[in-house]
Amino acid sequence: MKVLIVGGVAAGTKTAAKLKREDRSIEVLVLTKDEDISYAGCGLPYYVGGMIASREELIVNTPQKYSGLTGVSVETGKEVIAVNAAEKTVTAQDVKSGEKTEYTYDRLVIATGASPAVLPIPGKDLLGVFKMRTPDDAVTMRSYVEEQNVKKAVVIGAGFIGLEVAENLKAKGVKVTVIDFANQLLPNIVDYEIALYIKKHLLKEGIRVITGTKGEEILGTKRVSAIRTSAGTLNCEMVVMAAGIRPNTAFLDGTGIEMFKGTIKVDSSLKTTVDDIYAVGDCAMVTNRITKEAQWSPMGSSANMEGRTLAQILAGEKKAYPGVLGTGVVKLPNLNCGRTGLTEVQAKAAGYDVITALVPTDDKAHYYPDASFFITKIIADKASHKLLGVQVLGTGAVDKMTDIAVMGINMGAVLEDFENADFAYAPPFSTAIHPFVQAVYVLLNKLNGTIVSMTPAEYLEGKAEGYKVVDVGLEPSVRGAVYVNLASVNGEIPGLEKEEKLLLVCAKGKRGYFLQNRMRYYGYKNTVVLEGSTFFNDVKAEALVEQVSAEEITRVKALGFLHDKRTPDKFNGRVITRNGKITAEEARTIAEAAEMFGSGEVTMTSRLTMEIQGVSFENIEPLREYLMQAGLETGGTGSKVRPVVSCKGTTCQYGLIDTFALSEEIHERFYHGFNTVKLPHKFKIAVGGCPNNCVKPDLNDLGIIGQKIPQISLEKCRGCKVCQIENVCPIQIAKVEDGKIAIDENLCNHCGRCVGKCPFKAIEDSITGYRVYIGGRWGKKVAQGRYLDKVFTDKNEVLDVVEKAILLFREQGITGERFADTVARLGFENVQEQLLEDGLLERKAENIAAQKHLKGGATC
């Protein structure tokens, strides 16, 4: 028998290899369009982020190695362009030469996979637009990011691939915005409330996510400069198309094979509607294991299993492919997500009477180092108690929770089957009652009425309207709620009526359940526990104006919100503007935010941040989320590197350097890069374009001033009686002495105004550089900074000096003292010597890891 397989990645190579192991006599030939076979398509984003170092690591097998291991014949660079089912022939074209070849078969397997959907929008062919399918795509993308020093990227598509690409671009230092046309990320993969939690998490991690938005045009001349979307224009240097995939099946037109939206429909033996033609992998439409309805599930895992099963069938075994659950897992920055089975929406659409529970638990013994959490949404059929699906979030092994559900669904398990499941337990691995079993317990309690609860989805829909919020946490955490100390409840609770509707809230839901149980005994009839409580939900009580606690005032100050002491609950929020320069779109967003969440007033601070006035405590998080959607952030307080200020630089007639570009680079490298590094006190940086000192670089902890150092050609000086160089020097240190122009290097401030002013070109050339001041300070106690002896001509050397100054302050400063005090105490010459050497950089890791200055000295 001759089996011809079209496609050489996961499904095709798995089918071929297993088939040869089943029956060595079968002649197996694989044709593939690519030069590579059996490559790790799912690993491509991690190559972009640098977690996978080399292209070779992505290649599971070369054609030669694969043929030697399996006995399968492989021909690469062959694109199949036609199938003649009646004649049992396939026509392939060489991708380089164009030469056509005809192949015969007894059985044909289509395993051509799928390719990223390229949106038909103007600008899609510009340099800087990428897709993610082959190793070469990943190599080209990573090279482009590194060589073009990409700072901003937009990813179109918030599915698994889009989010993985976003995470890995962020790991390369790129600011990423993800857009998706759907109203949520991971559409049809997780339910809305789970997607909303992930979206908020990504925003906090610095990845901007805009849903309900479509890309309309990619802008730029030769390279990408921006993308116009239905939500506005987003500046970027790179666009990644990850808006779904399309099956590679166009060549099958006219074959009579039944298809649905480009996917090949197959039966349980993976056979198409045409005799002797089969399909597996991302191009095939299989069935859902629960509903038995057709389902497209393009995953590398199912592609491999489909290929293995098909090989056994072709070799004569009586087997059937049972279908898929759509199981998937995705790694995000500091959060993982796993899912299997039906979502709540899908289960309802399939006709099930659905019941769900959302349960936060510890992922291992809470006292064990690195213990974290799981958030498990478990979905079941109310009548049969049959498990239908699971969605899990957590920082650790969400895959093990997902896999338990997979086995349960595969075996037709009901919830009771998990009730006393003897899962592995030891403190480093799990909790004594397994987290999955804990989630099952909550759902069983809902089914039997032991707990009456409200799901996060219901809470988002507004079903808590009319309920009084009761906070039963270890400490009060919900402003405006009635606080109840669980341990003191031994009867009726003052202030709570037995007939009124009460929403019980704690940290994760357990104490709410305990209180409900106790309140029932004492006659309270309308209590409801909020599932996930404050751990998962943004809980708000009826608005009450009350004094914000000192602890909360300190907490939100670290977010950039300073308490207006004239009010009990109003704050002014600092919006970071990267040196005072913002786009028109950002300015509109700030103005809108001020109207929506504040008093409508915006002020400027001395650090060129924009401060939204009159933000109520309840509006702080909504305001931050609104700003993050536009790529804006709040902050700029505490004992850290503060926002950088700069003058107008080259847009000023005296400007010698591009201060905006330099200060933005400092902002990214040190304001963002050191944002978690505690210092003895605040550390302020200013960048001036010339010695005019407009932004007072010499009164900051560290200042950089642009320099233009005149280069005198004495042979061209004619010693004129009226010297133009003397006349133009603003500080009058240029003098004609003994018939030649002289400039005292110790007095010259390198403003550059003399350059080009001599009619005889005595001073025509100059060197552009940077002077670095350290130890300046203004405010209650002014200190004039001193400049380092060296005038720097290399920008990167200046950036290294900035880093060394911050590291020196952290390492050798005393908690509470300003950098000026540190310099004075250590001595300027000592500090200068350290800043011009590399010892501080060599000790950086140890310095950053040290537990120092945890309190700090900054009060504003």
Side-chain angles (χ1 to χ4, degrees):
M1 182 170 65
K2 181 188 292 184
V3 177
L4 180 60
I5 299 173
V6 183
V9 190
T13 54
K14 174 59 75 174
T15 304
K18 180 63 174 173
L19 190 53
K20 288 296 281 187
R21 290 196 297 272
E22 290 286 310
D23 187 343
R24 196 75 180 170
S25 69
I26 297 176
E27 182 183 336
V28 183
L29 172 63
V30 173
L31 299 179
T32 179
K33 177 182 176 181
D34 299 320
E35 292 298 323
D36 295 310
I37 68 160
S38 193
Y39 55 79
C42 298
L44 300 182
Y46 302 101
Y47 174 86
V48 173
M51 292 189 70
I52 297 171
S54 67
R55 183 187 189 280
E56 289 67 33
E57 294 177 71
L58 296 169
I59 310 302
V60 179
N61 271 312
T62 64
Q64 297 77 16
K65 181 181 174 183
Y66 176 81
S67 293
L69 286 170
T70 64
V72 174
S73 298
V74 179
E75 293 187 25
T76 61
K78 303 290 185 182
E79 181 180 8
V80 173
I81 57 175
V83 174
N84 186 327
E87 300 292 330
K88 288 193 172 184
T89 61
V90 161
T91 303
Q93 181 173 283
D94 189 287
V95 296
K96 292 180 179 177
S97 68
E99 181 182 351
K100 295 178 181 177
T101 306
E102 191 173 271
Y103 299 84
T104 61
Y105 65 85
D106 296 313
R107 302 284 189 276
L108 176 64
V109 178
I110 308 298
T112 45
S115 296
V118 177
L119 301 180
I121 60 176
K124 63 182 176 61
D125 297 320
L126 287 170
L127 282 174
V129 179
F130 294 91
K131 56 182 175 35
M132 182 62 72
R133 177 177 175 265
T134 69
D136 287 341
D137 293 332
V139 169
T140 305
M141 188 185 297
R142 186 163 105 180
S143 297
Y144 191 86
V145 169
E146 294 170 351
E147 292 168 7
Q148 300 300 320
N149 194 26
V150 172
K151 296 297 183 185
K152 293 182 181 178
V154 171
V155 176
I156 303 176
F160 281 152
I161 295 296
L163 295 182
E164 287 171 348
V165 169
E167 181 201 15
N168 283 280
L169 286 175
K170 180 179 182 292
K172 297 291 286 183
V174 179
K175 292 185 74 70
V176 186
T177 300
V178 180
I179 65 172
D180 200 294
F181 184 67
N183 71 338
Q184 66 167 78
L185 52 73
L186 297 176
N188 300 315
I189 296 172
V190 298
D191 285 309
Y192 178 78
E193 73 275 19
I194 301 291
L196 184 61
Y197 182 95
I198 297 171
K199 179 179 178 180
K200 290 180 177 179
H201 173 83
L202 291 175
L203 284 170
K204 291 174 183 175
E205 290 289 330
I207 295 178
R208 182 180 175 194
V209 181
I210 308 175
T211 51
T213 301
K214 65 177 181 178
E216 296 176 341
E217 182 180 5
I218 300 172
L219 307 176
T221 50
K222 293 182 179 179
R223 297 180 183 274
V224 173
S225 62
I227 178 170
R228 184 166 54 80
T229 76
S230 55
T233 299
L234 306 174
N235 293 326
C236 61
E237 301 114 293
M238 179 176 170
V239 172
V240 181
M241 298 276 197
I245 57 176
R246 300 287 182 270
N248 299 320
T249 56
F251 69 97
L252 296 174
D253 290 348
T255 60
I257 295 174
E258 184 179 354
M259 293 193 281
F260 177 76
K261 294 184 177 180
T263 58
I264 305 166
K265 300 187 85 171
V266 297
D267 61 18
S268 61
S269 64
L270 299 163
K271 182 177 172 297
T272 71
T273 52
V274 173
D275 288 343
D276 298 322
I277 300 181
Y278 300 78
V280 286
D282 292 358
C283 63
M285 170 82 78
V286 290
T287 59
N288 182 282
R289 195 159 181 155
I290 300 173
T291 65
K292 308 306 178 187
E293 298 293 325
Q295 178 168 319
W296 187 38
S297 185
M299 299 290 288
S301 51
S302 51
N304 272 280
M305 289 182 284
E306 289 163 25
R308 184 180 189 276
T309 301
L310 176 57
Q312 293 171 311
I313 292 169
L314 292 175
E317 291 190 39
K318 299 294 184 184
K319 298 201 77 166
Y321 185 69
V324 295
L325 293 175
T327 306
V329 65
V330 61
K331 178 182 177 294
L332 304 170
N334 297 311
L335 185 71
N336 303 320
C337 174
R339 61 91 60 212
T340 193
L342 304 177
T343 65
E344 182 178 359
V345 172
Q346 292 164 349
K348 288 177 178 176
Y352 289 99
D353 186 5
V354 176
I355 187 167
T356 73
L358 185 135
V359 187
T361 60
D362 296 326
D363 66 346
K364 56 178 71 74
H366 68 276
Y367 53 80
Y368 191 81
D370 298 326
S372 188
F373 68 90
F374 287 133
I375 296 171
T376 305
K377 179 174 181 177
I378 188 165
I379 302 153
D381 176 54
K382 194 178 292 185
S384 66
H385 295 194
K386 185 178 180 180
L387 179 65
L388 299 176
V390 157
Q391 297 159 45
V392 188
L393 301 173
T395 60
V398 299
D399 57 320
K400 78 173 183 180
M401 295 283 283
T402 307
D403 290 344
I404 290 170
V406 169
M407 285 307 300
I409 295 171
N410 280 355
M411 301 180 74
V414 295
L415 296 175
E416 287 79 1
D417 291 324
F418 297 99
E419 193 169 1
N420 290 301
D422 189 13
F423 291 121
Y425 163 66
F429 301 102
S430 183
T431 50
I433 298 178
H434 195 278
F436 193 92
V437 177
Q438 291 184 53
V440 168
Y441 284 172
V442 174
L443 194 48
L444 285 172
N445 283 343
K446 285 185 70 171
L447 281 162
N448 64 31
T450 302
I451 184 173
V452 177
S453 64
M454 181 182 295
T455 67
E458 291 169 335
Y459 185 73
L460 284 172
E461 291 168 4
K463 290 196 175 180
E465 187 176 350
Y467 280 79
K468 179 183 286 186
V469 178
V470 177
D471 183 354
V472 66
L474 285 169
E475 299 288 344
S477 63
V478 181
R479 293 185 72 248
V482 176
Y483 181 70
V484 173
N485 182 351
L486 177 64
S488 67
V489 176
N490 292 302
E492 294 184 11
I493 304 171
L496 298 181
E497 302 294 330
K498 290 186 177 180
E499 300 295 331
E500 68 181 325
K501 296 160 75 174
L502 304 172
L503 185 68
L504 309 184
V505 176
C506 57
K508 295 182 178 178
K510 185 181 290 186
R511 291 173 64 87
Y513 166 54
F514 292 164
L515 180 62
Q516 182 181 67
N517 181 271
R518 200 170 297 187
M519 292 179 77
R520 277 178 168 177
Y521 179 78
Y522 294 117
Y524 291 87
K525 303 184 185 325
N526 292 311
T527 62
V528 175
V529 177
L530 179 59
E531 294 175 18
S533 283
T534 59
F535 192 83
F536 186 84
N537 305 280
D538 295 326
V539 182
K540 291 185 178 179
E542 292 295 325
L544 294 175
V545 178
E546 60 179 42
Q547 184 67 45
V548 179
S549 69
E551 292 77 15
E552 285 295 289
I553 288 173
T554 299
R555 180 183 69 82
V556 300
K557 187 176 80 169
L559 303 176
F561 290 83
L562 303 180
H563 184 221
D564 184 339
K565 299 178 185 64
R566 299 168 299 174
T567 71
D569 74 332
K570 293 291 194 296
F571 293 78
N572 299 331
R574 292 180 176 177
V575 186
I576 307 304
T577 63
R578 308 177 308 275
N579 65 31
K581 186 177 184 180
I582 59 173
T583 66
E585 187 65 33
E586 288 170 335
R588 278 191 290 272
T589 299
I590 292 169
E592 290 166 0
E595 289 185 337
M596 293 168 62
F597 304 106
S599 66
E601 298 173 308
V602 180
T603 63
M604 292 293 295
T605 73
S606 61
R607 302 306 297 170
L608 302 184
T609 63
M610 297 183 73
E611 205 167 80
I612 296 176
Q613 303 287 294
V615 180
S616 69
F617 181 81
E618 302 296 339
N619 278 339
I620 287 175
E621 284 306 320
L623 169 63
R624 293 183 72 231
E625 185 174 333
Y626 187 81
L627 293 171
M628 283 190 283
Q629 290 278 23
L632 292 163
E633 60 187 323
T634 62
T637 63
S639 296
K640 304 177 183 178
V641 176
R642 292 295 181 88
V644 184
V645 298
S646 77
C647 68
K648 296 186 294 181
T650 52
T651 63
C652 168
Q653 62 175 321
Y654 302 122
L656 306 175
I657 59 172
D658 186 347
T659 57
F660 281 137
L662 179 58
S663 57
E664 187 153 356
E665 197 164 345
I666 294 171
H667 176 86
E668 291 299 327
R669 182 165 163 181
F670 303 115
Y671 177 75
H672 280 147
F674 279 69
N675 72 324
T676 60
V677 178
K678 288 283 189 179
L679 300 174
H681 211 292
K682 55 193 169 189
F683 191 88
K684 296 180 176 180
I685 303 171
V687 181
C690 76
N692 279 355
N693 218 23
C694 295
V695 290
K696 304 177 180 65
D698 60 343
L699 292 180
N700 278 257
D701 297 285
L702 186 142
I704 301 168
I705 297 179
Q707 306 281 286
K708 183 176 277 191
I709 307 166
Q711 302 295 295
I712 302 175
S713 299
L714 288 176
E715 69 278 7
K716 295 180 181 179
C717 177
R718 300 191 180 183
C720 303
K721 185 178 291 186
V722 178
C723 176
Q724 297 301 320
I725 302 301
E726 273 189 354
N727 288 344
V728 81
C729 179
I731 57 175
Q732 299 179 344
I733 57 106
K735 302 289 183 183
V736 176
E737 298 175 350
D738 300 326
K740 293 292 182 181
I741 187 68
I743 299 175
D744 189 331
E745 291 185 1
N746 295 317
L747 298 177
C748 179
N749 65 6
H750 305 152
C751 68
R753 303 216 199 145
C754 60
V755 177
K757 296 299 188 294
C758 173
F760 305 107
K761 303 188 184 306
I763 302 181
E764 199 68 18
D765 297 325
S766 63
I767 297 173
T768 299
Y770 311 84
R771 178 162 269 168
V772 177
Y773 284 77
I774 60 170
R777 177 176 61 200
W778 54 2
K780 289 179 292 186
K781 186 179 177 183
V782 176
Q784 190 84 27
R786 284 182 61 183
Y787 58 78
L788 303 182
D789 293 342
K790 179 176 180 179
V791 175
F792 300 91
T793 56
D794 183 345
K795 181 190 70 173
N796 291 322
E797 197 174 0
V798 173
L799 293 172
D800 284 345
V801 168
V802 176
E803 183 161 18
K804 285 185 272 191
I806 297 168
L807 293 172
L808 183 144
F809 190 33
R810 175 172 168 80
E811 180 183 80
Q812 299 165 40
I814 298 171
T815 301
E817 75 176 358
R818 291 294 300 272
F819 188 53
D821 302 322
T822 304
V823 174
R825 178 170 52 80
L826 298 177
F828 177 83
E829 298 302 332
N830 176 0
V831 173
Q832 175 170 242
E833 183 179 350
Q834 292 189 66
L835 297 185
L836 296 179
E837 295 175 348
D838 290 331
L840 287 158
L841 293 177
E842 292 165 2
R843 300 192 300 274
K844 176 180 176 179
E846 177 186 350
N847 186 352
I848 296 297
Q851 294 292 300
K852 301 183 69 174
H853 315 300
L854 299 182
K855 179 67 176 173
T859 56
C860 65

